[in-house]
Amino acid sequence: MINLKIFSKILDLIFPDKVTCVNCGCEIYSSDKYSLCEECLKTLTIIKGKTCRICGRGISEISSYEKCMECRKNDFYFDGGFSLCVFSGTIKKLLMDFKYNEKNYLYSVFSDLIIDNLNLNDLDIDLITFVPVHFTRKFFRGYNQSELIANDISKKIGINSKKILIRTKITKRLKVLSKEERKNEIEGAFIINNKKNFTRKNILIIDDIYTTGTTLNECSKVLKYNGAEKIYICTLAIRCKD
């Protein structure tokens, strides 16, 4: 039986087409997974093993708890969550390029990583949505990074993606605020786009980075108050606690 990866690399040698790693820029084979070279792929801090059922943060295999310490101290409106990577190294650089350096094509790399490494198909999901950005931020950036990822995941796993929420408030950069300041800043920032889209539906919300869960929790609260059944969250990276 022909090894497809070897066959693909032979074709690359016969019909060369310069392809570069999306992270470091070195030349790679077109067949290399996620458009990353082997070295950069090794440095992805993908969360493996036992994880918190709420946020997706990695927890000790010997822990008797299903939640991490942070989630045990807080109540959330979402019912469960997944996080792909620890926010460091390669994934951090790629996310910063994605958000701030106009590398919007990375959405396909991120959606493939999420689908291959998180058990999204094991969830009873009716709809996929995303954390919205204010229209002024979307105008200047040109896109909403979470929306691009959500729509691509939707196409690849066959679950509809819809814009359910609208962001009505331009908030300060939440990463520089305390937990309490974040909560106050984000409160009332979202309204419903179309309630008929999701009444009694199970919804998966896509976002890029999980820090305290404040933004995702506010989105989940609005959806639950307006008729959603269950809410799950999925983020590309999660900031580890010090």
Side-chain angles (χ1 to χ4, degrees):
M1 188 172 182
I2 297 174
N3 185 306
L4 293 180
K5 187 168 184 179
I6 293 174
F7 181 67
S8 179
K9 290 187 176 184
I10 291 171
L11 287 179
D12 285 335
L13 292 171
I14 299 171
F15 305 106
D17 182 19
K18 187 176 180 180
V19 181
T20 58
C21 172
V22 293
N23 185 54
C24 70
C26 74
E27 285 193 52
I28 60 173
Y29 293 106
S30 59
S31 58
D32 283 340
K33 211 167 188 182
Y34 312 122
S35 298
L36 289 166
C37 68
E38 289 185 7
E39 289 304 310
C40 288
L41 191 57
K42 287 177 188 175
T43 63
L44 280 179
T45 49
I46 293 175
I47 298 170
K48 301 288 188 180
K50 188 173 181 179
T51 59
C52 172
R53 70 172 183 82
I54 298 299
C55 69
R57 185 179 280 114
I59 57 178
S60 171
E61 293 287 348
I62 62 173
S63 173
S64 60
Y65 295 100
E66 292 185 330
K67 300 180 186 179
C68 66
M69 181 69 74
E70 192 66 22
C71 289
R72 295 204 302 270
K73 294 188 294 185
N74 297 281
D75 293 320
F76 295 100
Y77 286 93
F78 47 89
D79 298 278
F82 301 85
S83 292
L84 177 70
C85 290
V86 175
F87 185 65
S88 64
T90 297
I91 199 72
K92 181 177 180 179
K93 179 181 180 297
L94 289 173
L95 274 168
M96 294 302 99
D97 282 343
F98 186 41
K99 290 181 73 169
Y100 304 118
N101 295 327
E102 300 181 350
K103 295 187 178 182
N104 61 328
Y105 55 83
L106 289 171
Y107 73 86
S108 184
V109 174
F110 293 140
S111 66
D112 282 343
L113 277 163
I114 287 172
I115 291 167
D116 285 353
N117 291 280
L118 301 177
N119 298 319
L120 301 186
N121 286 317
D122 290 347
L123 296 176
D124 182 19
I125 295 297
D126 300 303
L127 286 172
I128 297 173
T129 192
F130 48 87
V131 174
V133 295
H134 194 270
F135 75 90
T136 55
R137 278 194 182 148
K138 186 173 181 180
F139 175 79
F140 286 110
R141 184 176 294 164
Y143 54 91
N144 173 1
Q145 67 279 0
S146 298
E147 182 178 5
L148 292 180
I149 297 167
N151 288 342
D152 203 46
I153 290 174
S154 168
K155 291 175 185 175
K156 289 171 179 173
I157 68 174
I159 298 176
N160 286 339
S161 176
K162 292 182 181 293
K163 181 179 180 179
I164 299 177
L165 295 164
I166 296 173
R167 197 170 194 142
T168 60
K169 180 180 177 182
I170 304 177
T171 55
K172 298 175 184 176
R173 297 291 180 185
L174 298 184
K175 67 181 180 181
V176 302
L177 303 179
S178 69
K179 186 176 178 179
E180 194 59 35
E181 288 172 333
R182 285 168 179 259
K183 185 177 178 180
N184 293 333
E185 184 69 16
I186 205 70
E187 189 172 2
F190 304 103
I191 61 171
I192 295 302
N193 182 34
N194 186 345
K195 189 173 179 178
K196 292 180 181 179
N197 279 339
F198 65 88
T199 303
R200 294 187 295 278
K201 303 288 187 184
N202 296 338
I203 301 169
L204 177 68
I205 308 176
I206 303 294
D207 201 12
D208 52 1
I209 304 167
Y210 186 108
T211 303
T212 64
T214 305
T215 300
L216 285 160
N217 199 44
E218 183 68 17
C219 289
S220 300
K221 181 178 79 172
V222 173
L223 293 174
K224 282 279 183 82
Y225 281 2
N226 284 278
E229 187 68 26
K230 287 186 179 293
I231 307 291
Y232 299 97
I233 58 114
C234 176
T235 57
L236 273 164
I238 190 163
R239 297 179 193 268
C240 283
K241 309 304 285 185
D242 297 329

